[in-house]
Amino acid sequence: MQAAVLRGYGQALDLVERPALTPGPDQVVVQVKACGVCGSDVFLRKGGFDSVLPIVPGHEAAGVVARIGPGVDGVREGDPVALYYIEHCGECSMCSIGRVNMCLSVRRMGVEYDGAFASEVLVPARNIIPVEPEDDLAAVAVLTDAVATPYHALVRIADVQPGMTVVVFGIGGIGSNAVQVAAHLGCDVIAVSRSPAKLELAEQLGARVLVSAADDAGDVVEAVRAAAGPGGPPIVVQTVGSAEVDAQAVAAVGIGGQVLLIGSSVSPFSIRAVDLIWKEASVHGSRGFVPDDIREVLALHRSGVLIVDHLLGRQRPLSEANEALDDLEAGRVLRSVLIP
């Protein structure tokens, strides 16, 4: 098998040959057919995660079951599958209430154990989500994260309702899908981006108001609040890995509103307690998604409600993993998809 390995933070990935993987009890080897290149992979390469090195990145994946370990049922060799990237115990206090993304013994594919920038990946059987034979596995791959992540934030964390105003800061791989998920849920969407092309995409995906973030930060906040109307926006989704934009999102949220932080940044930003108290506003982190989020966005995609064409325009072989990471970091793409 082939794998792209990160040996040190800030370094290029090495493409290496490794022995074929052997599944143990309750494990499955999946032949990777597609793996999305996500902002989290760029964050990993920079050293943003306390990872285990060397590591094979890649967590946004789909493929075909290649080999099955003892004790595995419900799936057969040759079955097409989506992969859930969080290894979870199924028994702790978080797992027992369905919050498996917050498992107390969590291990993440591509961070704590080898991921899907490879021709094969070894995963726990409980992380396998069967899909339909007619599903496009490149589309399945990006749905598992780029779409399921904002879906989780809007549906599970914020419980958004039709008619709410939702502001989305950043129209990248996550933010563009926050726009279309919010629009599908019947929300009035305000999109914020520095890029005219990305604002145009946001409009195509359902945004009603477009705000250019190329202006002064204070002007951006005022434009958002003016567009949202009296009281300000009830939901603000922050998908940019920037402390400056974190602060803008908090400043923009309306009375009784919620800020949903999805974009990862290790830099601090300032916030005054009085600004939250006076508005009775709250700030929530939203961490990934749960398996049911994947199942639900897959169903919405099959029905034609959610699209992923904007995520599939740049597909590369595994040997170009470094170029795919560079493209994403430079903002040249919303997503690249590696096809081993």
Side-chain angles (χ1 to χ4, degrees):
M1 63 165 285
Q2 286 191 319
V5 181
L6 178 66
R7 301 188 186 280
Y9 297 129
Q11 298 181 11
L13 305 183
D14 289 335
L15 188 66
V16 301
E17 291 285 344
R18 288 182 167 180
L21 298 169
T22 301
D26 300 317
Q27 292 182 324
V28 174
V29 173
V30 173
Q31 181 185 6
V32 179
K33 294 297 186 181
C35 185
V37 180
C38 173
S40 295
D41 299 312
V42 174
F43 193 63
L44 168 72
R45 188 172 64 167
K46 290 179 177 179
F49 294 117
D50 184 17
S51 185
V52 177
L53 298 180
I55 191 74
V56 177
H59 58 277
E60 187 177 273
V64 173
V65 174
R67 293 179 290 284
I68 297 172
V72 175
D73 55 21
V75 66
R76 298 174 299 178
E77 292 182 7
D79 285 352
V81 294
L83 301 183
Y84 181 57
Y85 80 107
I86 293 178
E87 183 178 329
H88 49 288
C89 70
E91 300 175 354
C92 70
S93 58
M94 290 291 99
C95 287
S96 66
I97 58 173
R99 298 182 66 182
V100 298
N101 60 320
M102 301 302 296
C103 175
L104 300 183
S105 57
V106 63
R107 295 175 72 242
R108 296 161 291 179
M109 184 171 76
V111 179
E112 282 88 22
Y113 68 98
D114 283 342
F117 281 14
S119 54
E120 295 183 347
V121 64
L122 178 67
V123 296
R126 62 161 57 100
N127 286 37
I128 294 292
I129 299 174
V131 300
E132 301 297 331
E134 61 271 20
D135 286 337
D136 174 3
L137 291 181
V140 170
V142 296
L143 282 159
T144 65
D145 184 357
V147 182
T149 292
Y151 183 89
H152 178 83
L154 289 164
V155 174
R156 311 274 182 218
I157 304 298
D159 188 26
V160 299
Q161 300 297 316
M164 282 184 166
T165 296
V166 173
V167 178
V168 180
F169 278 85
I171 310 301
I174 299 293
S176 60
N177 297 302
V179 169
Q180 70 163 333
V181 169
H184 159 66
L185 294 171
C187 299
D188 187 32
V189 184
I190 300 170
V192 185
S193 175
R194 294 178 180 275
S195 165
K198 290 180 178 178
L199 287 174
E200 182 179 349
L201 172 63
E203 186 172 35
Q204 294 169 5
L205 293 173
R208 179 184 64 86
V209 177
L210 311 177
V211 175
S212 173
D215 299 327
D216 178 83
D219 294 339
V220 171
V221 170
E222 288 305 312
V224 166
R225 292 182 62 83
I235 304 290
V236 177
V237 183
Q238 207 301 73
T239 72
V240 183
S242 164
E244 178 185 359
V245 184
D246 290 335
Q248 289 181 31
V250 173
V253 73
I255 294 172
Q258 301 179 65
V259 178
L260 305 175
L261 299 180
I262 300 177
S264 297
S265 171
V266 295
S267 300
F269 67 96
S270 296
I271 185 171
R272 301 188 311 169
V274 67
D275 292 330
L276 296 180
I277 293 168
W278 185 243
K279 292 190 289 189
E280 283 199 349
S282 56
V283 179
H284 299 273
S286 184
R287 177 176 170 176
F289 42 90
V290 297
D292 278 349
D293 295 319
I294 295 176
R295 297 183 182 98
E296 290 169 23
V297 298
L298 281 167
L300 290 170
H301 175 65
R302 292 184 188 116
S303 70
V305 171
L306 299 179
I307 65 171
V308 292
D309 294 353
H310 59 296
L311 304 177
L312 301 179
R314 193 67 172 99
Q315 299 188 20
R316 290 180 176 270
L318 182 61
S319 59
E320 297 179 7
N322 286 302
E323 291 83 351
L325 287 167
D326 292 342
D327 278 350
L328 188 60
E329 186 170 11
R332 291 188 288 267
V333 296
L334 296 180
R335 268 294 186 282
S336 290
V337 180
L338 297 178
I339 308 294

